[in-house]
Amino acid sequence: MKDKVKGLVIGVLIGSLLTGATAFAGTNTKISVVMENVKMMFNGVHKSTAQSIVYNGNLYVPAKTAAQTMGESFTYDGKSKTASFGTKSGTFKYLDEVSYARIDGRVDNVYFKNWKHPDGLKFTIANQKYLHGIGAILDSYSFYNDDEIVSVDYNLNGGYKKLTGFIGIDDYTRNSKNLGSLVIKGDGEELFRKDEMKGGDVPEKINVDVTGVLKLQIVFEAALNKGEQIDIVLGEAKLSK
């Protein structure tokens, strides 16, 4: 069985320890597994040895052990069924799950959580995919005269302290000759600006103070009107209290 293991899949093994050679999945299906003492190597260095499960050609190790091997902390919230590796986030909401107040510009050029054409296509910046965020298609190949700028407003009512995320140009338009800008405003005042973003650049992490902000505005803008399509992404956007 060892020779058939093709990859490492880190499984979250929380709750009762498996003591036999069989286990029950969530669907009450009986499965057969093999328990192994596996050496945990990181960059060629033996960090620890952990009892792990081999099942269906995959190796599952305790998540906490795997995290510690890589020098990260690990916590699990059973109530929300959330496993956290590294720094645990505080109370937050994903921006794409907060109701927006209004959109100025072409409404159908703004996308939440993922693109729609094709349906379910993830936001991707320099091969980094994001499961949450906001994307804007600007300067598209169309006859529209108002597709070089679009903004999304949110009524925060002073309820949040930080807006974090990653910004960049989606890989779909990585070869565009156009440049993009992203501006964040709080109650009309500019809090953050990034100009001359181009395809292929690595995502830039942002951390914007929105303490006391009543109305938040996210502005996406293309540098060249009717130049060439460019898709701007604010990925993993979170509002923290």
Side-chain angles (χ1 to χ4, degrees):
M1 178 65 76
K2 293 181 182 178
D3 295 335
K4 295 182 179 179
V5 177
K6 297 180 179 178
L8 172 64
V9 177
I10 299 177
V12 181
L13 305 180
I14 299 166
S16 300
L17 292 175
L18 295 175
T19 56
T22 60
F24 290 89
T27 56
N28 293 322
T29 301
K30 188 176 182 180
I31 61 176
S32 296
V33 301
V34 176
M35 303 295 292
E36 299 279 8
N37 286 321
V38 176
K39 291 182 180 180
M40 303 291 291
M41 308 288 290
F42 185 69
N43 288 334
V45 178
H46 181 198
K47 294 289 187 178
S48 63
T49 300
Q51 192 171 53
S52 307
I53 289 175
V54 177
Y55 170 66
N56 199 27
N58 290 317
L59 176 66
Y60 295 82
V61 301
K64 185 174 182 179
T65 302
Q68 291 175 342
T69 298
M70 294 182 285
E72 298 286 355
S73 60
F74 172 80
T75 57
Y76 179 71
D77 186 337
K79 184 177 181 179
S80 64
K81 299 187 185 305
T82 302
S84 299
F85 293 83
T87 302
K88 185 178 180 180
S89 300
T91 303
F92 70 89
K93 284 187 176 180
Y94 285 111
L95 192 60
D96 57 33
E97 294 179 348
V98 176
S99 297
Y100 67 84
R102 66 175 285 119
I103 294 177
D104 286 304
R106 293 204 59 79
V107 176
D108 54 356
N109 280 16
V110 179
Y111 295 82
F112 300 91
K113 196 164 291 188
N114 50 250
W115 303 112
K116 296 297 183 183
H117 307 290
D119 188 42
L121 181 65
K122 302 302 181 185
F123 297 135
T124 307
I125 305 172
N127 294 319
Q128 176 62 57
K129 296 184 184 297
Y130 298 96
L131 300 181
H132 291 271
I134 305 175
I137 297 176
L138 303 176
D139 226 4
S140 60
Y141 301 102
S142 66
F143 296 102
Y144 299 124
N145 294 317
D146 58 350
D147 63 349
E148 77 280 4
I149 184 170
V150 65
S151 63
V152 187
D153 292 1
Y154 292 88
N155 291 324
L156 301 188
N157 299 317
Y160 297 92
K161 294 182 180 179
K162 290 192 305 181
L163 170 65
T164 59
F166 296 86
I167 61 174
I169 305 304
D170 193 89
D171 284 357
Y172 185 78
T173 57
R174 71 180 76 189
N175 296 319
S176 175
K177 295 181 177 61
N178 213 334
L179 299 175
S181 296
L182 187 139
V183 182
I184 298 173
K185 297 181 179 180
D187 299 324
E189 179 183 350
E190 188 173 295
L191 305 178
F192 173 87
R193 171 182 286 272
K194 176 66 176 181
D195 294 317
E196 297 187 344
M197 293 189 295
K198 64 180 180 179
D201 288 348
V202 297
E204 178 177 332
K205 186 175 182 178
I206 66 168
N207 189 329
V208 182
D209 185 357
V210 296
T211 303
V213 170
L214 303 178
K215 182 178 286 293
L216 178 74
Q217 185 177 58
I218 314 293
V219 183
F220 303 88
E221 186 171 2
L224 304 172
N225 185 28
K226 293 304 160 200
E228 195 171 315
Q229 180 176 327
I230 188 168
D231 301 344
I232 304 177
V233 169
L234 170 55
E236 195 64 14
K238 296 177 182 176
L239 286 168
S240 302
K241 295 187 176 182

